[in-house]
Amino acid sequence: MDTKIYTIVSNKQLTRSIYEMKLEGDTSMITAPGQFLNIKLEGFYLRRPISICDWNENEITIVYKTVGQGTKHMATLEPGTELDILCSLGNGYDLEKIPANPVLAGGGVGVPPMYGLAKALVAQGKKPVVVLGFNTEHEVFYEEEFKALGADVKVVTADGSYGLKGFVTDGFDSADYACACGPEPMLKAVAAKAKDGQYSFEARMACGFGGCMGCSCETKYGAKRICKEGPVLEQEEIIW
Amino acid sequence: MVDMKVTLSGLVLDNPVIPASGTFGYGKEYAEFYDINILGSISFKGTTVEPRFGNPQPRIAECSRGLINSVGLQNPGLKAVKEKELPELAEIYSKPVIANVSGFSIEEYVECAKAMDEEPQVGIIEVNVSCPNVHDGGMAFGTLPETAAEVTRAVKAVTTKPVYIKLSPNVTDIAAIAKACEEAGADGICLINTLLGMRINLEKRQPVIANKMGGFSGPAIFPVAVRMVYQVAKAVNIPVIGMGGVESARDVIEMMMAGATAVQVGAANLVNPYACKEIIEELPKVMEELGIEKLTDIIGIIE
């Protein structure tokens, strides 16, 4: 974990509000899929926490949604722009706990960390079933990328305009083990169909590294900071 | 060689830079970034008798040049602070620390202060009568001279270490409150805590923060902090620790010229974990540029 300068290699629009940014720089601190970056943006006081989608020896891929002024500003940044980034934050997914045939469920902007996770699991010889949920057809992204990993991929849309109609929970019957990232009601619904699992949470943060207690949540084992002991929590400790 | 040493009630600090309570935990998150022993001191996370989770989520809102927080004094409680947090802090930080204590009653302030007074590591007890994020406590004691003085007297009666009272800017006459604390026996004054603020999410048509309001901090409040430090330093004869939006060595010097003997850095740590380190490293250079040999020479030089 450290603050370092990264250079934007590409910043590509995937859907109306989803962008993929590739950043060149030190990736040696990344220890697990599901960790995140905290990005300093010119003109904004707080950094923007964005999950890591994928990484290699010298490049990090993030996929983000333009929701507020900060992410809208990010979408305008040109390749070559240098960014001050705190990398890498949070615990990420514990791969050792994940069995051979897990269900990975990603909803909307919760899809990106599932990509890095699927890639790591496939590299371990595991066979994840990936369920990607979106509101509608034009919001679908990364289906081909997941397929290219060799994963079994199902796409679900709430309005049925693409793939299966319904929510991510309609994409699998039940799971011995699930990993999920997305809106909290989605995580809860996935957990209700899974015997065990790991779930990635979102929270408004200030620092991103445990200094301010801004993002704390209550768990069965006491308060945890989403940025430090999270963002990934174990199914059995979560208080829904 | 410039001299950065300052003295707070007999306690000599290598430099005046102190991370502010609530932005630095018990130091260990920052010790992952740098050796925190360079800090003048550390004001650790505010302690209450019982463990507190604090306020509901969300409790952070961004602002122009600052942020609003409504954390609400989350802390593991007095027992865990003494048995776990302070021993762990002692392993990574060898200088005296500032124990920030809070309360919902005079009795709670007394219990926390008394317990911190027993800790050899604690150099100063900082009594927070100014947290805007808790109801029926915290700030309520700091908004009137009489109640601020009452807390001061009660804490002084059970402690041997210097007692500094941390004041709220959300008052009509901060100098009168500072004077009342001094008359009640306070050894120093810390100011300012956060300004009560609010943000609204226009799309959702609701406050950004679950608690609606919270404490506004960051460089946006720096001029207000300098003004209040100046007013209080002129009104009292005890040391003042200045804080509120400090993010550079020049800000530290400005606070000291306004009357602060030492300076706390809060929000800046959250956006740059190296903020205090960079300020300490920058200070000698800025002092030389400004022709300052000893930092103590500039304390309160503004008439």
Side-chain angles (χ1 to χ4, degrees):
Chain A
M1 175 176 69
D2 206 353
T3 57
K4 292 220 163 117
I5 300 298
Y6 292 78
T7 308
I8 299 176
V9 179
S10 64
N11 193 14
K12 190 171 86 185
Q13 189 167 16
L14 300 183
T15 73
R16 262 177 230 177
S17 62
I18 300 282
Y19 289 75
E20 177 197 73
M21 183 184 279
K22 290 189 189 290
L23 294 154
E24 192 184 300
D26 187 1
T27 64
S28 62
M29 302 85 93
I30 303 172
T31 57
Q35 291 188 311
F36 65 99
L37 311 176
N38 215 0
I39 306 175
K40 176 104 191 93
L41 297 172
E42 192 70 37
F44 294 88
Y45 191 64
L46 295 180
R47 291 170 183 263
R48 291 316 190 261
I50 310 276
S51 64
I52 296 168
C53 174
D54 189 20
W55 77 97
N56 60 30
E57 313 74 55
N58 57 3
E59 206 172 89
I60 300 173
T61 303
I62 56 170
V63 174
Y64 61 96
K65 184 176 182 176
T66 51
V67 268
Q69 298 305 311
T71 40
K72 280 176 188 155
H73 172 74
M74 267 177 74
T76 68
L77 297 175
E78 298 284 341
T81 308
E82 292 189 331
L83 292 173
D84 170 347
I85 296 178
L86 198 43
C87 171
S88 63
L89 304 174
N91 57 352
Y93 288 92
D94 185 341
L95 298 178
E96 298 317 310
K97 286 187 178 158
I98 303 174
N101 296 292
V103 170
L104 308 191
V109 78
V111 165
M114 289 298 120
Y115 180 79
L117 177 59
K119 191 175 175 181
L121 292 172
V122 168
Q124 287 186 323
K126 294 173 182 172
K127 297 199 174 340
V129 173
V130 177
V131 185
L132 307 176
F134 304 93
N135 288 315
T136 187
E137 181 177 11
H138 70 76
E139 292 183 7
V140 175
F141 65 91
Y142 260 49
E143 182 186 5
E144 292 311 315
E145 282 80 351
F146 276 94
K147 282 184 174 160
L149 294 176
D152 175 5
V153 184
K154 292 191 179 87
V155 176
V156 180
T157 52
D159 65 359
S161 55
Y162 188 85
L164 275 170
K165 180 175 164 53
F167 300 106
V168 290
T169 40
D170 296 310
F172 65 101
D173 295 328
S174 65
D176 285 333
Y177 203 94
C179 294
C181 183
E184 215 169 301
M186 184 204 105
L187 301 183
K188 190 179 175 181
V190 171
K193 292 184 85 172
K195 289 200 188 98
D196 198 1
Q198 299 177 47
Y199 301 85
S200 181
F201 285 75
E202 267 197 331
R204 278 191 179 261
M205 291 175 187
C207 67
F209 55 87
C212 70
M213 310 279 167
C215 63
S216 299
C217 71
E218 290 189 274
T219 74
K220 288 177 187 159
Y221 307 114
K224 290 199 170 183
R225 294 162 293 186
I226 294 295
C227 73
K228 190 78 178 175
E229 288 84 29
V232 180
L233 300 180
E234 302 273 347
Q235 181 159 328
E236 46 102 21
E237 67 181 329
I238 300 165
I239 300 171
W240 296 105
Chain B
M1 259 311 263
V2 292
D3 184 355
M4 297 200 286
K5 283 191 172 59
V6 296
T7 306
L8 293 170
S9 308
L11 192 69
V12 180
L13 311 188
D14 293 335
N15 65 67
V17 179
I18 306 165
S21 180
T23 65
F24 213 76
Y26 305 91
K28 58 174 165 264
E29 291 78 15
Y30 291 86
E32 291 183 44
F33 290 100
Y34 63 93
D35 181 358
I36 59 173
N37 282 295
I38 58 165
L39 300 166
S41 183
I42 293 171
S43 177
F44 62 80
K45 181 79 188 151
T47 305
T48 53
V49 172
E50 299 300 327
R52 279 180 60 83
F53 173 72
N55 290 322
Q57 291 288 350
R59 48 195 199 186
I60 299 289
E62 187 180 44
C63 307
S64 189
R65 304 270 290 147
L67 75 148
I68 294 174
N69 89 82
S70 72
V71 170
L73 299 176
Q74 181 181 343
N75 80 96
L78 187 53
K79 189 165 179 285
V81 171
K82 281 177 74 96
E83 289 174 4
K84 178 172 179 287
E85 303 298 348
L86 290 186
E88 285 179 13
L89 174 55
E91 284 172 22
I92 52 172
Y93 188 71
S94 57
K95 301 175 188 176
V97 295
I98 299 176
N100 184 288
V101 297
S102 262
F104 291 83
S105 64
I106 300 273
E107 293 71 32
E108 186 170 8
Y109 281 110
V110 165
E111 191 176 342
C112 286
K114 208 172 157 182
M116 290 304 171
D117 202 54
E118 296 162 358
E119 294 293 329
Q121 244 174 302
V122 171
I124 288 173
I125 297 167
E126 180 178 65
V127 182
N128 177 11
V129 293
S130 48
C131 180
N133 286 321
V134 292
H135 299 295
D136 308 318
M139 188 161 75
F141 289 100
T143 50
L144 289 172
E146 298 76 27
T147 48
E150 200 185 337
V151 175
T152 309
R153 262 192 303 276
V155 168
K156 277 299 287 180
V158 297
T159 51
T160 56
K161 291 181 172 165
V163 170
Y164 282 46
I165 311 294
K166 183 167 173 179
L167 298 184
S168 168
N170 306 306
V171 296
T172 45
D173 187 354
I174 198 165
I177 296 168
K179 269 181 89 79
C181 293
E182 181 183 29
E183 282 159 15
D187 299 286
I189 302 290
C190 305
L191 78 158
I192 56 177
N193 204 319
T194 53
L195 288 152
L196 194 59
M198 182 169 173
R199 293 304 307 271
I200 295 168
N201 181 319
L202 306 188
E203 284 72 28
K204 292 183 179 167
R205 302 189 181 193
Q206 63 187 34
V208 173
I209 281 183
N211 238 22
K212 292 183 184 165
M213 290 168 245
F216 178 33
S217 62
I221 73 164
F222 182 68
V224 179
V226 171
R227 182 265 293 182
M228 287 188 157
V229 164
Y230 172 77
Q231 287 176 314
V232 166
K234 282 281 171 281
V236 298
N237 294 306
I238 48 178
V240 169
I241 301 180
M243 72 194 83
V246 173
E247 61 174 359
S248 68
R250 290 187 69 89
D251 292 347
V252 169
I253 289 169
E254 190 165 341
M255 274 289 183
M256 295 184 77
M257 286 184 174
T261 298
V263 174
Q264 291 188 5
V265 177
N269 294 308
L270 306 181
V271 292
N272 175 12
Y274 294 103
C276 285
K277 179 177 191 275
E278 288 172 8
I279 291 171
I280 291 164
E281 287 169 356
E282 201 189 353
L283 254 178
K285 198 176 75 165
V286 176
M287 285 171 70
E288 272 170 33
E289 279 166 19
L290 296 169
I292 301 164
E293 276 171 36
K294 284 173 68 177
L295 265 187
T296 49
D297 289 343
I298 59 157
I299 298 170
I301 55 156
I302 304 302
E303 280 308 313

